[in-house]
Each structure stands twice: as structure tokens, then as C-alpha cells.
Amino acid sequence: MIWDLIVVGSGVAGLSAAIRGRELGRRVVVVAKGYPTQAQTAMAQGGMNAPLSPGDSPERYEEDTLKAGKGIGEREAVHLLAHRSIEAIQWLERLGMPFSRHGNRIAQRRLGGVPVARACYAQDYTGLKLLHTLYDHARKRGVHFLNNHFLLSCIVEGGEARGVTLLDIGEGSVRQLLGSAVVVATGGYAGIYGKFSTNSHGMVGDGIAAVLRAGAKLRDMEFVQFHPTALVQNSLLISEAARGAGGKIINGDGERFVDELTTRDRLARAIYEQLEMGKKVYLDITHLGEDFILSELPQEYRLARLHGGVDPLKEPIPIRPVAHYTMGGIEVDLELRSSIPNLFGVGEVASTGVHGANRLGGNSLMEGVVFGRRAGERASEVEGSGGEREYEETERDRHLIETLLARSGEGESIYREMGEVQELLYRKGGIVREEGELDGALAKVRQCQEELPSKGIGDGSRLYNTDLVAFLEYRNMLDVAEAALTAMKGRRESRGAHYRRDYPEEDRDFQAHSTLWKDNGVLYLDFKRVS
Amino acid sequence: MVIEIRRYHRDQDSPSTFVQYKVDPEKTLLDNLITLKEEVDPTLTFSRGCRSGVCGSCALRVNGEERLACMTRVQEGDRVEPLSVLTVIRDLVVERESSLETLDRGGAFLMDPQEIPLSEEDERLIERQSDCILCESCFSSCPVYETNPHFLGPFTLTRVYRYLVDKREGEKRGHIDRIVENGIWDCTLCGRCGEVCPMGIDPKNDILLLQSWASRYGYSNPQMASFGSYGLEF
């Protein structure tokens, strides 16, 4: 069959698009790598922005977002986000979203960089509750779910998207899924930094890699937001609330070296410089007292004890900055259209230009709802024209999977090299960057890409083969890393989350978006002035 | 430190066996599983996601008790197994499609939304129930499935309760009508589901509350009714 809408990814953006498609009477299928509610969205704690408070307005929201974007935020996209945010909250209310309340109103909290309480939240579980509310509603609306399927390729014929090819993880077989429109909503790529990322397992930019191989354009891939305070042991983040309440950042000598309430990028850099000098860095909340910690920071307390092996009531928590959110992604216009007709991108996987050079807290979930619904609407307008037959991409991917399975046990395992590349990306393409180091990292990534055919999987079974999935994710990780490093190298200035030690100042000539695309296997980079 | 993991692959001569592995007591069970897969045996199969207890992927059983691997420290001699009741696909991975279908049968969504503002108290009524991460630990622990495979189950009934008592729900009866068969009266009220829930949700209590809602709409417990017609003769 040919679906009206194929949505790849089941987080806030994907489900919002799928639901909109069903509202418009389209036949919609959502593809999930695992099960829908396992999406990265579940990890979002802070909230989602909407100017509901007295004295706040869509105009102020728009200005704050543009300011955080450091001159390369797209005004039209930001305008849309800000002006549709209130109706998005009202829509979620009708779905039964259990926002926290203050009196009879939706409660709002302040997040960094914004002078008013603008973020609607649901305790510390905003993303979790949003995701489940959308999931329940998607089931009610009759969205079809295809779980445990991994995106391999976008099928493109005559320059237009016709569908996708998927690995059925449970069966170890390749299948194609055809649709009039494809919405890619697979999330960001902070997971390319591996254990140096707050993200859920497998967030390596599967959708970005697939569309890049299919010829679509990427944008602003150099912009990666690092969260300053994550547990050293496993990169789970300690919320900003801990610093907001008076938590101190100290080094191993017990010295404070930075204003704890400065912006995320400055704080991350200051902490990283200490780590580079060989010092350890800690978040000290011992002076806040047991009552406060247990009532206000219960999740942090529990996670620091379990994973960090420290008691935050008695000792400082070892921290480091790690990759948290990626502003770049598939280049899309205001209608969420990629450079390939009938192929849409939405949510963290895409770049609408809404975040510019840095994202404001509380904007990712709202982006997912506002632009997700818009993507579902635009994709529903597409009238497909492709035929129902087996496409070249399907045959090629089937050959890839069969070869990998047949050669299992022969090639070298990927895991050690993958860990090395992730650490290299953190050290050379992370918080502080410079030309020579980026060149070195890029050379290493390209060498790994070339040597990938000599690597292999150790598990030859077709049945739910997670070793095979890890290999495919590693391939994507390398492709996405190549694109990100290339853009980091090309942007010879510092702006927002992108910091170059050799070009520490903002440069007006770079008030531009980086654009990346592949042609015959070669990656190209260009800059386009902000409109 | 050594633990045992139940390995399962349908095509092997003895599909299900316990295998011993050396683990690091300083790490969580999930981190140990990851190290084992990357360094010892790439065929070891399990699910994982957020590693912070909100995505529900890594639920399994340790010494018969449902746990999230990411939130569990290992102990000498632990026996690690997949969730129960659900069909095992491979090693620690289970099939969840059919259990999730209970959400549709139970009607776990807002049926007729009303534009009514919620107060703090209204929201608190559904706060804990909406913490559910769908890890299906409760499903795995439920003894009702030994006798009734069609039982709606604890997570779906808790979710139905969460939408039923939502002040914005204009269609209360519709919810009740869908949970009286293979639902609220089939629960034995053993309370295992609440004991194993990593989020501190107590489905048994929600089921008791649903039973009283059902009575309000004229339903009565069929088991009590049959007991009553004979029992009261004594």
C-alpha cells in the first residue's frame, strides 16, 4: 500500500505531525526505532515556552529567542513559534496534558536567559507527560505504529521522495514503506558524542544521515549546545535549578572560578578550561541543606547517589559539560519542506533557523508541537505520484544487511573505535575548537569511514540483532560527525554555542547559515547570509 | 562479582539457559550489560534508552522482581531475566505490541474534552498516575494473566482512571463501559503492581476507585453478586 504520510520518529514533533495528519483524514504511519514512548522527548524536564503571564507577550518571546540566536535566528520562524505557542498550549489542554497548576492557571517557571516565567511544565516530567499525552491521543486517532524499525534510506525517484527503507529489527529483514509524503522527525545528533552526551542511547542523527545520503541539504551543523553540569560518571544532567538555588561551582582546590548564573555556553567553557588544566570540577550544594535538597532537587539527589556514587548532602558532585542539544539539522523552510520535494523535517532533526546559534531553554518542546503540527498539515497536502514497486534503495539496503549478516564474526568490532571517535569529537569538536584540531578530527573520521567496510558485526542472527543496529548507528554517526566537523571548520568566528579559540570574536561576515550537501559522495559546504 | 543472565534464542538447541557473567559492582546493571555486550559477547540482547528511569526501555526482572536496569545496582549472584507474562523475543527483550493494545480496548484517552480550567487540586488527582513510563513492570508482575490473557491490566486501568477523573473529561460513562469486562472486577487486588512500579504508582488503588465509580453508574461486581445470591442463605 501507499500511505498518505510516513512519519519517522515518535517524539513530540513526530507525534504532533502524525496527529495533525489524522485530523485531516490522512492515513498515517509512525515508525519508531523502539517503542514510541521511549523517545528522547521523555527526558526533557524544564518546560515549554508560551507567553501566558501578565506582562508577557508573543513579541517579547520572539525577541528573547532571537537574542539567544545571536544574529542568525530566522525571524519568520521565530515569529511563528512565538505567535502559535499559546494555541499550542490550548490544544494540549484539550488532549488532557497534565500541566502543573498555580491556582486555576497553568503554572510557569523561569528558565535561563528569560526575565519572565514563561515555561509551562509538569513537575520535572514535562517531556515525559507531553510524550504520553500525545501517544494516547495518537492511538485514539488511529495513527498506525510500526515499532522496532530502523530507518535505512529515503527513497527518492525523479528528485521526489517516495518513501523509506527500513530494517525490521525483530526479523532482521529489509522492507520498504511507500508514502505520498515523508516526515523525518528522528531527533538530534548530540549522541555522536557518546558518553559525553546527556542524550538517550542511539541519538546519533539517523534521519540526518539518511537524508544527507539521499541528497538533501543540512544547515548550521556546527551549533551544538553543551550543558555545563552533568555527572562525570554517566553524563546525566544536574538541572539548572541547583545553581539557581545557590549551588556553587568549584574546582579540586576548592576555588570558585566562574559566575554560576552566567549563560550555559560561558559556564561550559569555563568548566572545560579547568578540566583541560587537569583540575576536577564539582557542583557543591551541601550548604543548601537536607530539607531543600530533598524537596526541591529529589531527582538530582537520587541520580547523584546512584550513578555518581556521592552523597550530595555531604560532598560536592563531580561534574563536566556534555553535549545536550543540536541546533543544526536538515535544512527546511517555514513549511518544513527539505530540499527534496515531499520530504519534510521537523523537531530537533531539522533546522528551521528558529534557534539560531543557540537555543533558549523551553523552546525545543514548543518547537516540536508548533512545527510538528505544521509539518503534518503541509505533508497532508501532498498528492503522491510514485508507483508501487520495489525501488533501487530497497535492493541496495537489502544487499547491505545480507552482507553484514553473512560476514558476521569476520571484521573487527566497532565498539572500541566508536568510543575513541566519540571522545575525539568531544575533545576536538566540542566546547572549544580550533582549526588544526578540527582538521585532525576530520581526518580521523574520514579514515574510519573508509575503513568501515573492513569492520563487522559479531552477531549473525536475524532475530532482534542490536549488534547490527549499533553498526548502522555507527555508520550514521560518522556521516553526521563529518558534516558537523566540516561546518565547525568553515565557520571561522565564535558565535553562540560555537566557540573557536583561534577566532574568538563574532564576525559580521559570518552572519550566515552554513549549508552542507553531498554530491557523488563528496561533501560540500557553503554559507548563506541570513535573510 | 558474578551474576546470571537468562539467555534465550528460539533457534538454539536449548533455547533458554542461564549464563554467568563477571560484573562491576560499582556500576548499574544497565552499564554492566552494555560493557558485557561491547567487550564480552556482542550477541547479548537487551533494550535501553535514557539511563535515568524515564523511558521504560530497560525493565526486566532481578531475582524475580521487576526492575529498571538503569536504576539498579548489581549484587552477588543476581539472577537477571526478562519481564514475565510478555513473550520473550530474545534474551532480555520482550514483545510489547499486544500489551499496548490494551490501551485501545480500555479507552485510555480523553473521550470528550471540555474547556474547563484545572485547579491545583484537580491536577494533583492525576499527577501520580500520569508519571507512568509504560515500562510494563506492573504487567509482568500481574498474576491475573495466569488465568485471563484478556485482562486489561494495571497500567491501562491506571491510565483509564487518570482520564476518567480528569475534570476536562465530559464522557465518564464511556470509560466505565469499557473496563467492566476483563477489567476492574478481574483484579485480585494483590497489590504486586504497586510494589514493582518504579514511579511509585499504585494501580490496585486506582482499580478500587474505578470499582466505586462503576457502582455509581449501576455496575456491580459479578463475583460478589454470585457470592451474594448463595452466601446470604447462611
Side-chain angles (χ1 to χ4, degrees):
Chain A
M1 75 175 283
I2 299 181
W3 292 87
D4 294 325
L5 224 68
I6 298 171
V7 179
V8 189
S10 65
V12 52
L15 291 182
S16 296
I19 290 168
R20 187 67 190 129
R22 289 298 299 152
E23 285 171 6
L24 296 168
R26 312 299 277 179
R27 291 166 308 159
V28 183
V29 58
V30 170
V31 180
K33 186 145 82 164
Y35 290 95
T37 55
Q38 296 170 352
Q40 169 74 35
T41 298
M43 293 186 79
Q45 299 177 337
M48 51 197 303
N49 291 329
L52 305 174
S53 310
D56 200 3
S57 68
E59 288 74 24
R60 288 187 67 182
Y61 178 13
E62 190 176 323
E63 288 312 313
D64 290 336
T65 300
L66 282 171
K67 196 174 146 206
K70 297 285 178 197
I72 60 162
E74 284 293 325
R75 182 172 281 280
E76 282 190 354
V78 176
H79 182 84
L80 196 75
L81 176 78
H83 287 262
R84 298 284 164 85
S85 60
I86 295 175
E87 70 181 49
I89 295 289
Q90 289 164 344
W91 177 67
L92 292 172
E93 276 284 299
R94 288 196 293 279
L95 265 49
M97 173 69 190
F99 285 117
S100 292
R101 308 282 153 165
H102 185 69
N104 286 331
R105 297 171 55 93
I106 292 174
Q108 291 183 288
R109 59 164 64 126
R110 273 191 62 186
L111 295 176
V114 175
V116 290
R118 184 180 290 150
C120 307
Y121 61 92
Q123 298 85 42
D124 269 351
Y125 295 125
T126 315
L128 170 72
K129 295 194 181 196
L130 175 63
L131 180 64
H132 284 251
T133 302
L134 291 170
Y135 179 59
D136 291 341
H137 191 74
R139 292 196 77 111
K140 174 188 176 182
R141 286 268 179 191
V143 170
H144 184 79
F145 286 97
L146 196 57
N147 303 324
N148 294 313
H149 279 70
F150 182 91
L151 173 67
L152 293 168
S153 299
C154 292
I155 298 172
V156 178
E157 184 196 43
E160 293 184 355
R162 298 273 185 254
V164 293
T165 67
L166 303 167
L167 171 70
D168 179 338
I169 299 172
E171 300 296 325
S173 58
V174 173
R175 64 192 282 186
Q176 63 177 28
L177 203 59
L178 303 179
S180 300
V182 176
V183 179
V184 178
T186 51
Y189 52 93
I192 65 171
Y193 294 91
K195 63 180 180 177
F196 300 92
S197 163
T198 60
N199 279 205
S200 198
H201 174 70
M203 297 304 297
V204 295
D206 295 324
I208 293 172
V211 306
L212 180 66
R213 285 193 290 264
K217 286 185 174 173
L218 309 181
R219 184 165 68 179
D220 291 346
M221 291 291 288
E222 63 273 38
F223 293 106
V224 178
Q225 184 178 80
F226 284 77
H227 196 287
T229 58
L231 288 176
V232 165
Q233 285 81 358
N234 68 352
S235 296
L236 287 173
L237 68 85
I238 306 287
S239 129
E240 276 174 5
R243 277 175 289 127
K248 285 185 277 194
I249 306 280
I250 53 171
N251 63 19
D253 304 327
E255 300 162 344
R256 287 174 77 180
F257 54 88
V258 63
D259 169 14
E260 284 85 355
L261 299 177
T262 187
T263 55
R264 274 185 187 179
D265 50 333
R266 289 216 178 102
L267 189 55
R269 274 204 299 281
I271 294 172
Y272 186 71
E273 278 162 12
Q274 294 282 320
L275 296 174
E276 272 192 317
M277 288 191 280
K279 298 197 174 181
K280 289 191 170 158
V281 179
Y282 301 88
L283 174 65
D284 185 3
I285 57 170
T286 53
H287 59 290
L288 300 180
E290 185 170 344
D291 289 350
F292 179 85
I293 293 169
L294 295 184
S295 69
E296 299 299 316
L297 303 166
Q299 275 209 73
E300 281 77 8
Y301 175 73
R302 189 166 69 136
L303 294 173
R305 280 177 65 102
L306 179 72
H307 297 285
V310 296
D311 181 352
L313 298 178
K314 300 197 181 94
E315 52 197 325
I317 308 162
I319 52 149
R320 68 179 176 203
V322 297
H324 182 52
Y325 183 89
T326 48
M327 276 69 78
I330 305 167
E331 181 184 76
V332 293
D333 65 12
L334 213 50
E335 314 304 333
L336 293 314
R337 293 180 297 216
S338 76
S339 55
I340 297 176
N342 304 347
L343 181 68
F344 298 74
V346 70
E348 195 176 340
V349 78
S351 165
T352 58
V354 82
H355 306 301
N358 213 343
R359 177 186 64 99
L360 206 58
N363 268 356
S364 50
L365 295 180
M366 185 49 82
E367 176 192 19
V369 176
V370 169
F371 289 102
R373 284 180 64 72
R374 194 172 175 88
E377 191 159 318
R378 293 296 169 264
S380 292
E381 292 161 2
V382 175
E383 296 294 335
S385 54
E388 203 167 351
R389 59 177 177 83
E390 180 153 307
Y391 285 85
E392 191 183 312
E393 288 87 345
T394 314
E395 201 182 318
R396 194 190 57 211
D397 287 335
R398 190 166 290 139
H399 178 72
L400 168 74
I401 299 303
E402 292 306 321
T403 307
L404 282 168
L405 287 171
R407 286 182 52 240
S408 72
E410 288 176 24
E412 192 191 327
S413 161
I414 54 164
Y415 294 111
R416 183 188 298 173
E417 181 183 281
M418 182 167 73
E420 286 168 8
V421 173
Q422 289 164 343
E423 178 148 4
L424 183 79
L425 289 172
Y426 180 68
R427 306 264 173 235
K428 312 292 183 193
I431 298 154
V432 176
R433 305 157 183 180
E434 60 180 81
E435 194 84 11
E437 297 199 328
L438 289 167
D439 279 332
L442 204 47
K444 172 72 182 173
V445 165
R446 290 197 167 130
Q447 185 195 342
C448 294
Q449 284 174 317
E450 278 165 28
E451 289 173 3
L452 197 59
S454 71
K455 301 274 189 311
I457 57 176
D459 183 353
S461 170
R462 286 187 188 279
L463 187 66
Y464 212 92
N465 188 333
T466 51
D467 195 37
L468 174 61
V469 172
F471 186 94
L472 297 166
E473 284 175 339
Y474 182 50
R475 180 176 75 136
N476 289 343
M477 194 194 114
L478 291 173
D479 288 352
V480 171
E482 185 197 12
L485 288 168
T486 302
M488 289 172 196
K489 184 167 136 60
R491 186 176 285 278
R492 290 182 169 149
E493 64 150 359
S494 293
R495 185 186 294 272
H498 172 71
Y499 181 77
R500 289 279 301 251
R501 189 176 272 152
D502 43 357
Y503 299 94
E505 304 298 326
E506 202 172 291
D507 180 346
R508 289 180 72 172
D509 288 346
F510 278 105
Q511 196 172 357
H513 296 292
S514 66
T515 310
L516 291 144
W517 69 96
K518 257 185 174 172
D519 195 5
N520 273 324
V522 181
L523 189 66
Y524 293 86
L525 169 72
D526 196 9
F527 283 88
K528 268 194 274 190
R529 299 286 300 176
V530 171
S531 46
Chain B
M1 183 183 283
V2 173
I3 64 168
E4 292 184 311
I5 300 174
R6 188 192 280 279
R7 304 291 306 267
Y8 171 83
H9 193 297
R10 67 186 177 204
D11 298 337
Q12 263 147 25
D13 294 342
S14 46
S16 184
T17 49
F18 273 104
V19 179
Q20 292 194 334
Y21 294 95
K22 272 173 86 172
V23 293
D24 178 353
E26 294 301 309
K27 288 183 181 171
T28 62
L29 174 55
L30 181 63
D31 285 339
N32 273 302
L33 291 174
I34 293 168
T35 305
L36 288 172
K37 182 170 187 71
E38 295 187 353
E39 295 174 11
V40 179
D41 185 351
T43 68
L44 181 64
T45 304
F46 52 92
S47 295
R48 57 171 152 162
C50 72
R51 79 213 179 282
S52 56
V54 292
C55 80
S57 307
C58 66
L60 39 68
R61 287 182 302 152
V62 179
N63 305 324
E65 300 270 325
E66 284 73 13
R67 293 285 179 82
L68 296 179
C70 69
M71 302 300 276
T72 304
R73 283 288 180 104
V74 284
Q75 310 273 340
E76 181 70 44
D78 275 348
R79 283 168 83 89
V80 179
E81 296 173 87
L83 290 180
S84 182
V85 181
L86 300 148
T87 306
V88 180
I89 298 176
R90 186 174 175 184
D91 293 346
L92 302 172
V93 175
V94 292
E95 189 275 323
R96 296 185 178 189
E97 309 264 345
S98 41
S99 49
L100 288 171
E101 275 166 18
T102 60
L103 292 168
D104 304 329
R105 277 199 286 132
F109 43 75
L110 218 48
M111 290 183 175
D112 180 21
Q114 305 293 303
E115 306 250 344
I116 298 171
L118 294 195
S119 67
E120 276 176 70
E121 294 73 45
D122 298 330
E123 188 275 328
R124 218 163 284 141
L125 278 178
I126 57 173
E127 189 172 302
R128 184 50 67 90
Q129 286 82 359
S130 58
D131 286 345
C132 173
I133 60 172
L134 282 180
C135 67
E136 308 201 19
S137 289
C138 56
F139 200 90
S140 164
S141 76
C142 180
V144 176
Y145 288 104
E146 286 167 23
T147 50
N148 181 5
H150 304 294
F151 181 46
L152 283 171
F155 71 74
T156 283
L157 290 169
T158 277
R159 229 166 241 247
V160 170
Y161 175 78
R162 168 249 177 281
Y163 283 108
L164 170 75
V165 299
D166 193 311
K167 205 172 162 192
R168 295 166 292 195
E169 178 60 278
E171 177 53 64
K172 310 282 190 196
R173 171 175 276 281
H175 283 292
I176 302 294
D177 289 345
R178 289 168 86 144
I179 55 165
V180 284
E181 208 163 307
N182 292 314
I184 49 175
W185 311 119
D186 294 72
C187 171
T188 61
L189 305 176
C190 74
R192 284 282 298 145
C193 46
E195 288 165 23
V196 303
C197 177
M199 302 302 282
I201 302 166
D202 183 4
K204 178 197 75 179
N205 195 46
D206 297 334
I207 292 167
L208 278 169
L209 292 164
L210 284 170
Q211 289 182 350
S212 82
W213 272 87
S215 311
R216 225 187 287 177
Y217 283 93
Y219 287 103
S220 56
N221 187 339
Q223 284 143 30
M224 290 297 279
S226 61
F227 177 75
S229 61
Y230 300 99
L232 290 180
E233 300 291 318
F234 294 104

